[in-house]
Amino acid sequence: MRRNLVLGLVALCFCGFPGHVEAQAGSSSAGEKLEAVFKGAEMPFVKLGDDHYKAVLTINENESDSFQVFLQTIGNNPNDDTLQVIQMIFFLGALPKGTTPPTALIKQINEWNGSLSRGSIFVLDSVVLYQSSAWLSKSDPTTLINDALVGHFTSQKLRKDVEPYIKQ
């Protein structure tokens, strides 16, 4: 249920609609830790809502990528910092509104997901997204940058791979 809510909010944010995530008790300390990690990594970010951020990764002077970041709790204890997960969502492409994903794209996504060493691809409404996650308790500025770089370069390649399916 919570995953469906988060995925729905991701689609709304990428489509330009306002999103809102309910705050969980104890999540402010997790949010504070994530914000400190963003700052330590010198990665610009904007808080879009409770446990929801948009960050920008700069690769070089001519290349940057923005992505959505969600904090999630695994289990029923939002005060257990060891069960906080950072979920990074990268935009891959958008299908025309009101269309369903082509069967060929769905089959290809299954193949990609079977071979990705990290993360997964999914379609939500008319948006194709790549997601990757990491434990907040194991994150520091260096690991955040590395995780974001992996997400960036993976999504960069996947955007090219997804493009022909979107143009059909």
Side-chain angles (χ1 to χ4, degrees), residues 10-78:
V10 169
L12 290 175
C13 291
F14 277 111
C15 294
F17 297 103
H20 176 75
V21 178
E22 290 293 322
Q24 294 182 351
S27 66
S28 67
S29 66
E32 290 168 3
K33 176 173 180 172
L34 178 58
E35 290 177 21
V37 172
F38 277 137
K39 289 173 186 172
E42 298 180 4
M43 186 179 295
F45 70 95
V46 175
K47 187 171 185 172
L48 299 175
D50 293 330
D51 301 332
H52 180 198
Y53 301 83
K54 183 174 185 176
V56 177
L57 174 68
T58 302
I59 311 310
N60 58 45
E61 291 179 11
N62 301 318
E63 184 179 3
S64 64
D65 196 1
S66 65
F67 58 100
Q68 303 281 323
V69 179
F70 290 87
L71 275 173
Q72 294 186 21
T73 301
I74 296 176
N76 296 325
N77 185 359

Side-chain angles (χ1 to χ4, degrees), residues 92-96 99-113 121-129 158-168:
L92 299 181
L95 298 163
T99 62
T100 58
T103 303
L105 175 59
I106 294 170
K107 288 180 180 179
Q108 185 60 57
I109 287 172
N110 285 331
E111 287 182 33
W112 286 325
N113 284 339
I121 305 163
F122 61 97
V123 178
L124 185 62
D125 296 329
S126 60
V127 182
V128 184
L129 303 163
L158 290 169
R159 282 183 196 114
K160 292 175 185 172
D161 294 342
V162 166
E163 188 176 2
Y165 295 95
I166 292 175
K167 289 186 175 182
Q168 290 180 349

Side-chain angles (χ1 to χ4, degrees), residues 74-153:
I74 296 176
N76 296 325
N77 185 359
N79 296 315
D80 186 350
D81 290 341
T82 63
L83 297 178
Q84 297 286 337
V85 176
I86 302 169
Q87 184 180 30
M88 295 181 217
I89 309 286
F90 294 83
F91 177 82
L92 299 181
L95 298 163
K97 288 193 179 212
T99 62
T100 58
T103 303
L105 175 59
I106 294 170
K107 288 180 180 179
Q108 185 60 57
I109 287 172
N110 285 331
E111 287 182 33
W112 286 325
N113 284 339
S115 64
L116 285 171
S117 60
R118 186 170 188 184
S120 62
I121 305 163
F122 61 97
V123 178
L124 185 62
D125 296 329
S126 60
V127 182
V128 184
L129 303 163
Y130 168 76
Q131 74 85 28
S132 182
S133 57
W135 294 107
L136 178 60
S137 63
K138 304 292 183 191
S139 294
D140 60 32
T142 301
T143 60
L144 179 68
I145 290 170
N146 290 338
D147 290 340
L149 283 169
V150 169
H152 165 74
F153 288 115

